[in-house]
């Protein structure tokens, strides 16, 4: 270990330690795999020949690359090329063994990606989204011009291509509810084969999702996710006969699945109360057998042709590792290992909409009350879990307790909890955060004079909204890539997010101005008392920079304490040094104003 490494604080080591994603393998060449790693200091794609052990960095761009997929034969790597994190670009292709990049779908202009499916004969089905055209799907055959087979103003995306390359499944929201998709299966000429719409044309809030076609030629079974019993769970839909087969998986919480490679079973992923586990569901016996994994969070899993299961696992206390049910570590990056952190504790707090789950980490030394960071997750359709996170661990190292709240809107606690924030967007989440804040203070965990409200993306939005609507509660606010001025954000953001905002708020800013006003941090900016730190990507298509500048101008115009850090990337950075810099700035800002 070098002198520089030994003198480096643990919180920096957690960011710098090389990490890898779960390797994605080629369906017809399982020894060829693709994974993401930060080994160079920037997250990039790597090709891995598992037979020889050879690894090759496939992409090398200043602001990183994470979106990539292998062709079924493993001969080519497709990767998405945008400009400095703006998420707007084209698919490129390169040989698995290395070589020149070339446009993978020549003839298609730049767009936001909306799904991709690659066939065995070289055909690709490309989902696209632009502000001008809405959602489109194109079939791209080798040597031929792209052919458009789908177009609609509302959000839609490519789900999967059947094993024999004859059927394509898409998710769409033609009914206008961007939170609950319907499904359509089409032939590659665009003609419809089957439809499934649990929303009944937008009248019912029940969504569907594509999980994948059966991995067998001529098999017309499509694995889908549904919400008919109040949570996500899988079902098999035969798109030729229309038969729907319920699996009867009686596990609490949300359930997803993917096929075993021979189509005889499903690998079931079960998420419940911020932890996850794996199961095998056998079609012949209809039995559910647990796949052993340690307590914590499985962030991804895949069943291999030999029947083993590989999975990416971590806990709040232990760094991520790619494991196999065969007992070995699948992919262990060389170099420094990330130091561990403290485990999470569960807190259940009664709130205005039901029981709220929060995850708590407290410093190893001292009994409290501690200065406390409420680290609010993004999404909003996401949830914090018992998984390794370098950001919260950094705060704990600096003597702070960290509280993460799975507010209404979070996934993993049933459909009603996720869908609860419509129309009173932001305000409902903050009611839950306030209830947990009251518990944190009354329990002796948190120092009421040293409460930090922090978060990124939707969490950054809730931070700014909370500073304005609960000004007495917070001593410091730290907002990364936030929504700050909801009306301007709506007009500047990518088209898919416009659709989501229309669903959440019930219309456009012109149609429901009072709802946008009630949910916009800009409305309450003059009530903000706490010092505010904001970081923003100048190329961000999700929380665009102009609306952040509007909010900052209002703060600065009345002499409020505000510091802004602008960086040359999109909705967050894939560069390790940049991430460390931002965390250091946030910790420094909080320390200065909390004393």
């Amino acid at each position: 270990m070098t002198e520089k490494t030994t003198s480096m604080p643990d919180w920096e080591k957690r960011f710098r330690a090389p990490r890898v994603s779960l390797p994605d393998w080629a369906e017809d060449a399982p020894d060829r795999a693709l994974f993401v790693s930060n080994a160079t200091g920037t997250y990039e794609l790597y090709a891995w020949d598992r037979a020889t052990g050879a690894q090759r960095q496939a992409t090398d761009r200043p602001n990183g690359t994470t979106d990539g997929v292998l062709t079924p034969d493993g001969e080519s790597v497709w990767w998405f090329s945008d400009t400095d994190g703006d998420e707007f670009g084209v698919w490129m292709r390169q040989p698995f063994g290395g070589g020149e990049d070339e446009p993978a779908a020549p003839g298609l202009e730049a767009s936001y990606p909306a799904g991709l499916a690659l066939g065995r004969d070289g055909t690709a089905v490309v989902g696209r989204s632009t502000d001008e055209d809405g959602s489109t799907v194109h079939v791209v055959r080798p040597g031929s011009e792209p052919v458009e087979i789908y177009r609609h103003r509302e959000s839609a995306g490519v789900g999967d291509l059947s094993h024999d390359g004859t059927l394509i499944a898409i998710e769409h929201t033609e009914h206008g509810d961007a939170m609950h998709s319907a499904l359509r299966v089409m032939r590659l000429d665009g003609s419809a084969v089957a439809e499934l719409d649990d929303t009944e044309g937008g009248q019912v809030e029940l969504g569907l999702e594509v999980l994948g076609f059966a991995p067998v030629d001529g098999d017309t079974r499509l694995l889908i996710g549904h919400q008919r019993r109040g949570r996500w769970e899988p079902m098999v839909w035969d798109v030729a006969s229309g038969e729907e087969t319920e699996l009867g998986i009686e596990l609490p919480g949300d359930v997803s699945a993917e096929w075993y490679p021979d189509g005889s079973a499903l690998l079931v992923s079960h998420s419940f109360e911020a932890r996850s586990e794996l199961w095998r569901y056998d079609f012949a016996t209809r039995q559910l057998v647990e796949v052993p994994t340690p307590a914590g969070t499985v962030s991804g899993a895949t069943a291999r042709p030999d029947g083993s299961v590989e999975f990416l696992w971590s806990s709040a206390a232990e760094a991520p590792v790619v494991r196999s049910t065969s007992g070995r570590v699948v992919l262990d990056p060389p170099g420094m290992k990330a130091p561990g952190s403290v485990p999470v504790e569960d807190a259940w707090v009664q709130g205005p909409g039901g029981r709220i789950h929060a995850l708590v980490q407290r410093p190893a030394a001292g009994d409290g009350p501690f200065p406390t960071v409420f680290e609010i997750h993004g999404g909003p359709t996401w949830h914090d879990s018992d998984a390794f996170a370098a950001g919260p661990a950094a705060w704990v190292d600096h003597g702070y307790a960290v509280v993460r709240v799975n507010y209404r809107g979070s996934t993993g606690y049933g459909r009603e909890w996720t869908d609860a924030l419509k129309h009173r967007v932001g305000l409902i989440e903050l009611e839950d955060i306030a209830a947990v804040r009251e518990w944190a203070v009354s329990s002796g965990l948190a120092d009421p004079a040293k409460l930090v409200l922090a978060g990124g993306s939707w969490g950054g939005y809730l931070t700014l909204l909370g500073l304005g609507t609960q000004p007495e509660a917070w001593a410091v606010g730290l907002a990364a890539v936030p929504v700050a001025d909801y009306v301007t954000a709506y007009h500047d953001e990518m088209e898919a997010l416009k659709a989501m905002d229309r669903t959440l708020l019930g219309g456009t800013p012109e149609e429901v101005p009072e709802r946008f006003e009630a949910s916009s941090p800009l409305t309450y900016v003059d009530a903000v008392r706490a010092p505010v730190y904001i970081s923003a990507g100048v190329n961000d298509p999700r929380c665009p920079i102009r609306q952040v500048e509007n909010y900052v101008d209002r703060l600065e115009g009345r002499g409020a304490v505000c510091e802004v850090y602008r960086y040359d990337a999109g909705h967050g950075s894939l560069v390790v040094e940049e991430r460390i810099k931002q965390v250091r700035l946030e910790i420094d800002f909080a320390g200065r104003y909390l004393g």
Side-chain angles (χ1 to χ4, degrees):
M1 205 176 273
T2 66
E3 183 178 342
K4 181 179 179 182
T5 302
T6 55
S7 64
M8 185 185 300
D10 280 354
W11 76 266
E12 283 194 38
K13 291 179 183 177
R14 295 190 194 97
F15 282 95
R16 295 188 195 279
R19 293 195 192 184
V20 291
S21 68
L22 180 72
D24 181 30
W25 50 276
E27 294 177 15
D28 298 336
D31 279 341
R32 294 192 168 187
L34 190 69
F35 64 90
V36 177
S37 177
N38 65 338
T40 65
T42 301
Y43 284 85
E44 296 286 2
L45 294 167
Y46 289 75
W48 177 29
D49 187 329
R50 300 177 64 145
T52 65
Q55 296 179 7
R56 178 183 67 83
Q57 185 177 337
T59 56
D60 185 7
R61 302 193 302 151
N63 283 295
T65 316
T66 58
D67 293 337
V69 66
L70 291 173
T71 53
D73 60 11
E75 290 295 323
S76 299
V77 176
W78 282 52
W79 60 276
F80 191 75
S81 175
D82 65 353
T83 302
D84 295 328
D86 67 359
E87 301 181 45
F88 194 82
V90 297
W91 287 100
M92 301 294 289
R93 178 178 56 210
Q94 66 175 252
F96 178 83
E100 293 297 317
D101 290 307
E102 62 180 11
L108 288 182
E109 298 294 324
S111 68
Y112 298 111
L116 174 71
L118 302 179
R120 285 165 171 74
D121 64 353
T123 298
V125 183
V126 183
R128 303 170 65 252
S129 172
T130 66
D131 295 344
E132 296 76 23
D133 297 332
S135 301
T136 58
V137 175
H138 288 77
V139 173
V140 183
R141 301 183 189 275
S144 301
E145 289 292 310
V147 176
E148 182 182 301
I149 63 168
Y150 180 86
R151 175 182 292 255
H152 201 277
R153 284 303 312 171
E154 297 291 348
S155 297
V158 172
D160 195 24
L161 184 65
S162 62
H163 192 271
D164 59 11
T166 62
L167 301 174
I168 182 70
I170 68 166
E171 300 175 1
H172 71 83
T173 59
E174 295 171 5
H175 47 272
D177 180 352
M179 291 182 70
H180 303 94
S181 294
L183 305 183
R184 179 171 299 143
V185 177
M186 303 185 295
R187 301 177 185 88
L188 268 64
D189 63 3
S191 58
V193 173
E195 306 266 357
L196 201 59
D197 179 8
D198 280 4
T199 76
E200 299 179 10
Q203 302 306 305
V204 180
E205 294 181 343
L206 289 175
L208 298 166
E209 62 178 345
V210 173
L211 299 177
F213 276 104
V216 180
D217 260 0
D219 194 329
T220 54
R221 292 178 299 163
L222 178 64
L223 185 65
I224 65 173
H226 70 89
Q227 296 180 300
R228 295 172 184 176
R229 297 199 300 169
R231 48 116 188 222
W232 282 109
E233 59 184 308
M235 175 180 77
V236 175
W237 175 35
D238 189 323
V239 301
S241 68
E243 181 182 5
E244 299 174 10
T245 304
E246 299 281 355
L247 304 180
I249 297 175
E250 300 301 333
L251 296 171
D254 286 339
V255 181
S256 187
E258 65 174 54
W259 297 93
Y260 271 76
D262 62 359
S264 68
L266 298 177
L267 177 61
V268 174
S269 175
H270 172 226
S271 174
F272 182 57
E273 296 184 350
R275 277 88 180 173
S276 54
E277 58 190 13
L278 299 176
W279 300 76
R280 176 187 166 104
Y281 176 88
D282 189 275
F283 283 107
T285 63
R286 297 183 66 85
Q287 286 188 331
L288 199 62
V289 178
E290 186 170 6
V291 177
T293 60
T297 295
V298 175
S299 301
T302 183
R304 294 281 290 167
D306 65 1
S308 66
V309 174
E310 296 177 354
F311 56 96
L312 179 63
W313 174 91
S314 73
S315 71
E318 297 182 64
V321 60
V322 181
R323 298 187 176 189
S324 170
T325 51
S326 67
R328 62 189 178 88
V329 172
V330 175
L331 187 59
D332 188 19
M336 177 174 58
K337 304 304 179 186
S341 185
V342 299
V344 294
E345 306 166 18
D346 296 283
W348 291 94
V349 179
Q350 193 60 40
R355 224 167 50 125
I356 308 159
H357 190 195
L359 300 176
V360 178
Q361 289 172 280
R362 64 179 76 219
D367 298 321
F370 303 101
T372 300
V373 178
F374 279 70
E375 181 76 36
I376 310 304
H377 73 73
T381 50
W382 189 250
H383 69 272
D384 278 315
S385 60
D386 182 6
F388 197 75
W395 287 106
V396 173
D397 284 4
H398 284 81
Y400 294 81
V402 176
V403 178
R404 292 180 284 166
V405 182
N406 284 331
Y407 51 77
R408 278 172 288 172
S410 303
T411 53
Y413 300 87
R415 181 180 62 82
E416 288 187 9
W417 191 261
T418 302
D419 290 352
L421 54 129
K422 279 191 174 181
H423 301 171
R424 291 186 62 243
V425 173
L427 305 174
I428 283 176
E429 300 97 296
L430 286 167
E431 289 176 356
D432 291 350
I433 292 167
V436 177
R437 183 191 69 234
E438 182 178 338
W439 163 84
V441 172
S442 63
S443 69
L445 170 73
D447 182 340
K450 295 185 177 182
L451 298 179
V452 179
L453 186 58
S457 191
W458 197 266
Y461 158 64
L462 293 177
T463 294
L464 296 184
L465 189 64
L467 296 178
T469 59
Q470 304 168 353
E472 305 285 350
W474 307 104
V476 170
L478 309 169
V481 290
V483 175
D485 167 4
Y486 217 140
V487 174
T488 302
Y490 175 86
H491 290 300
D492 288 359
E493 68 194 3
M494 57 201 300
E495 185 61 37
L497 293 184
K498 286 188 173 74
M500 180 61 75
D501 283 338
R502 290 194 297 271
T503 296
L504 287 172
L505 290 155
T508 67
E510 291 72 33
E511 293 166 340
V512 287
E514 71 288 348
R515 290 179 183 168
F516 275 82
E517 181 180 13
S519 293
S520 179
L522 189 66
T523 302
Y524 312 98
V525 66
D526 291 336
V528 173
R529 297 185 182 184
V532 185
Y533 171 87
I534 298 174
S535 58
V538 297
N539 302 316
D540 191 344
R542 298 173 180 267
C543 298
I545 192 71
R546 184 168 71 107
Q547 52 95 28
V548 173
E549 303 289 11
N550 291 348
Y551 184 89
V552 171
D553 288 347
R554 284 280 298 274
L555 271 182
E556 293 179 342
R558 65 178 183 85
V561 177
C562 177
E563 293 182 15
V564 185
Y565 173 65
R566 303 166 182 85
Y567 57 96
D568 188 21
H571 198 60
S573 176
L574 299 175
V575 179
V576 172
E577 286 292 346
E578 179 61 43
R579 291 185 174 187
I580 291 172
K581 180 180 180 180
Q582 291 180 27
V583 172
R584 185 180 288 116
L585 288 169
E586 290 184 346
I587 292 172
D588 175 69
F589 184 89
R592 279 187 282 130
Y593 289 103
L594 291 181

